[in-house]
Amino acid sequence: MRAGDVVRCDFGTPARGEPGFVRPAIVVTSNDVLEFRQHAIAVVPCTTKRRGWLSEVDVTGFGVAQAHLPTTISVDRVVETTDTNVGSVALKQIRELIADLLGL
């Protein structure tokens, strides 16, 4: 698993404002951290419902990455890996949006 990979995750039953169910997500954990085979990773869920928000990043074939919903999940929630990586440009956009949302 690498930063920018698209994986399918089972987020479970959502509470209001949370991602839910099985859906694609973008891995945003750094490759340096992923090398240690962590038990938890940071991801940004994807949705096909575009809202026109500034925190959405287009991901071809998967809708939009919801940079306003970064979350940490157990690697056990990853139900499938895809052979897709969003690439460095989209990953940088997502990370910059997360940083802006957190005031970093």
Side-chain angles (χ1 to χ4, degrees):
M1 193 176 319
R2 306 286 296 161
D5 281 356
V6 180
V7 294
R8 293 188 60 76
C9 302
D10 185 352
F11 289 98
T13 304
R16 185 177 3 175
E18 293 179 337
F21 312 113
V22 176
R23 65 177 58 234
I26 311 301
V27 177
V28 295
T29 301
S30 75
N31 288 328
D32 291 339
V33 173
L34 290 170
E35 286 180 17
F36 291 101
R37 299 212 171 120
Q38 300 296 304
H39 297 289
I41 56 173
V43 298
V44 170
C46 294
T47 184
T48 55
K49 184 175 182 177
R50 285 181 169 78
R51 293 174 174 86
W53 295 357
L54 296 176
S55 58
E56 295 175 337
V57 176
D58 285 319
V59 179
T60 304
F62 297 95
V64 293
Q66 298 174 293
H68 57 280
L69 292 176
T71 188
T72 302
I73 61 166
S74 166
V75 293
D76 296 337
R77 289 194 176 275
V78 176
V79 296
E80 179 185 6
T81 58
T82 69
D83 291 327
T84 304
N85 188 291
V86 297
S88 60
V89 173
L91 181 60
K92 184 177 183 205
Q93 279 182 291
I94 293 166
R95 287 176 168 168
E96 286 176 352
L97 286 166
I98 293 169
D100 287 347
L101 290 165
L102 296 175
L104 301 174

